[in-house]
Each structure stands twice: as structure tokens, then as C-alpha cells.
Amino acid sequence: MSTNTGAPADSGKNGMPTLTVTACKATMPPPATSTFSFKAPFPVASPGAMLKPRRVSLALPSSPRLVPDSAWNFRDDTGIDAHRTGHSNPGQGYESDTDVLLPEKRGKMRRIASDGDDFTLGSTMGASGSAESAAGPSSEKKQRKKWTTEETQMLVDGCNKHGVGNWKTILSDKSLKFDSRSPVDLKDRFRTYFPDAYRLHYPNAKTHLSSKIRRSTLPDGKPLFERPAPRSDDRSLRRRTKP
DNA sequence: GTAGGGCTATAC
DNA sequence: GTATAGCCCTAC
């Protein structure tokens, strides 16, 4: 699987270690250049010192999703395959258009892709839909676009330069080239590709944290990224509650 | 604008 | 059939 050859190595200036991690993918062959260089952007006394929950988990105390810490080491069990055990048909989407469940039934409304489907993504499409809004008013689903090694490296560089979580800033950095990515795309990529780092920076996250993919910590567990200083208007401590 | 959970296409 | 990655949606 993925290996983390993070080389603590020559701690650079400011005591910030220059790290190297091998970015092998579990399901796809490693690109030609599979080594990313990481550099912790901010000095930190201890890995956990700056950790501060930015959001409160959706999981209610009584929620079956709430799993013990030990479960973090397992695959996304906390994200339970609702779509596999629920109403949807794995790999086939919903059985039919009529299988679209109401929000009160499914928890929240989702757009269903179907032939001739007419819906638009609505105003909330801004986040990830903006990048390819050229699709038109009744925007079709954004085509899946795999992240290249180069893009990933840009993301890493951006995180090191601007701090994890400053996706918009990273995206705006002229020196970083992304292929029509949105801030959300950056966040999602970071979340899926560097689950360990994501978990370190966002302890509340319970999804997209495969236990098999670890590209973001050193063998000794030290993080490759540093969380930027929390914003003063940190809303992370609050979290929506499920109906 | 960002975090976080969910859905689903795709690879294996 | 399952795991992963990418996209979607919504709360804040």
C-alpha cells in the first residue's frame, strides 16, 4: 500500500523539518514522480499542541456512528455505507427516479443524475461547481477529473506555504497551478490523499479517513502539515445538528 | 469560504 | 463485491 517514507531529515531553517513522503496510491500506480516534499509551514512545540477542533462532529452522543477512538484505525466504518445498505442501488444509483427519497426520509436532498434530467445544481453549486460552470445553466454533473501528481504537489506546496485549510488562498497563489480546481476540490483532495494529516488537523472528521492510506505523517507520527492559527471567528466549535 | 458528511463513478 | 477517489450538498 502506500508507504510513507517521510524523511525527517534535515530540519530546515526555523526548525521546520523538510519532509519527503512517497505518494503511492493504493489503487493506482504511482506516477512517475511519486515523491512529494513537505515542509511544515509553522513552528510548533508539539504535534498536538495546535490541534483544535474546528467543527463539532455531527454524530450525536447516541449516534451509532460514534465510534471509539480505536476505530480510527479502521476503514471508514464510521461513514457506514448507507448507500449500500440503504435505498440506493450500489453501482446503479437509485432504482428509479421515484426512488428519490424525500429529505425527511434520507436526511437530505440530493440531485439524482438521470437522462434528460433537468435540474440545476442551484445556488449552492458555488463551491465545487464553479470551476466548470461552463457546462451551462442546467449544468451537468462535473466530469470526474483525476488529480495528477503535479497538482498534488502544488497542493502540498500550497499547504506548506499558506497553511492547511486556506484553500482559497492556495488556489489564488499564482505560483501554484491547478487544473480548474475549486477550493473544495483542494480540500477534498487533501482529505482523501492525506488522511493522516487531515485527521491531525481536523480531528472531528469521520469520513474519508482510510486506515490504509497514510501519506501524511512521519514514521514517528509527526505531522507533515501544520494547522494555521485558528481564525478569530472560528465557527468550528459549533456544528450543525442533524434533524 | 471552509468543514464535514454523503453519494457515486471508477478501479481493482 | 469492495475500496478508493472525486464530486455534491449543506451547515456554519
Side-chain angles (χ1 to χ4, degrees):
Chain A
M1 288 301 177
S2 62
T3 51
N4 185 345
T5 59
D10 32 66
S11 54
K13 43 199 172 182
N14 304 333
M16 296 193 293
T18 298
L19 312 172
T20 300
V21 63
T22 301
C24 299
K25 289 268 297 88
T27 56
M28 72 182 175
T33 60
S34 57
T35 300
F36 297 120
S37 293
F38 295 83
K39 182 183 57 148
F42 307 110
V44 60
S46 64
M50 295 179 65
L51 295 184
K52 177 182 172 187
R54 299 193 62 141
R55 297 267 170 152
V56 175
S57 171
L58 277 176
L60 298 174
S62 58
S63 170
R65 289 174 183 276
L66 197 59
V67 295
D69 289 344
S70 58
W72 289 113
N73 288 329
F74 296 90
R75 189 183 169 278
D76 186 11
D77 287 335
T78 58
I80 302 304
D81 322 272
H83 57 291
R84 294 193 181 105
T85 56
H87 291 73
S88 61
N89 262 351
Q92 299 179 23
Y94 298 98
E95 290 177 1
S96 69
D97 287 337
T98 58
D99 194 36
V100 177
L101 301 180
L102 297 174
E104 58 268 27
K105 209 172 170 186
R106 296 190 59 216
K108 69 179 175 184
M109 180 72 79
R110 276 192 69 81
R111 191 174 65 118
I112 307 300
S114 62
D115 290 341
D117 101 358
D118 217 7
F119 16 72
T120 64
L121 293 178
S123 58
T124 60
M125 204 39 213
S128 35
S130 59
E132 300 200 354
S133 55
S138 59
S139 53
E140 295 177 2
K141 215 166 184 177
K142 185 179 178 181
Q143 189 169 15
R144 293 172 84 94
K145 189 164 51 183
K146 302 206 74 167
W147 275 74
T148 64
T149 307
E150 289 72 24
E151 279 186 293
T152 303
Q153 180 62 64
M154 293 293 176
L155 175 61
V156 170
D157 291 345
C159 287
N160 287 330
K161 187 174 180 181
H162 302 287
V164 176
N166 295 319
W167 314 119
K168 181 72 173 180
T169 304
I170 294 171
L171 204 57
S172 314
D173 192 325
K174 294 286 193 297
S175 66
L176 302 174
K177 300 289 190 298
F178 294 100
D179 187 11
S180 301
R181 302 295 182 181
S182 70
V184 172
D185 290 334
L186 267 57
K187 179 262 295 180
D188 284 339
R189 177 58 169 173
F190 182 85
R191 176 169 60 173
T192 57
Y193 205 72
F194 303 109
D196 268 10
Y198 194 84
R199 181 169 52 192
L200 285 169
H201 288 272
Y202 309 105
N204 293 318
K206 286 182 167 49
T207 60
H208 304 263
L209 296 173
S210 170
S211 65
K212 296 180 179 179
I213 302 170
R214 296 175 183 280
R215 306 179 181 88
S216 48
T217 56
L218 298 171
D220 61 5
K222 289 182 181 176
L224 297 176
F225 301 94
E226 275 311 320
R227 174 204 296 279
R231 300 189 303 235
S232 56
D233 66 330
D234 188 5
R235 296 170 298 185
S236 61
L237 296 181
R238 303 195 304 270
R239 180 63 183 154
R240 67 181 182 231
T241 54
K242 290 257 186 191

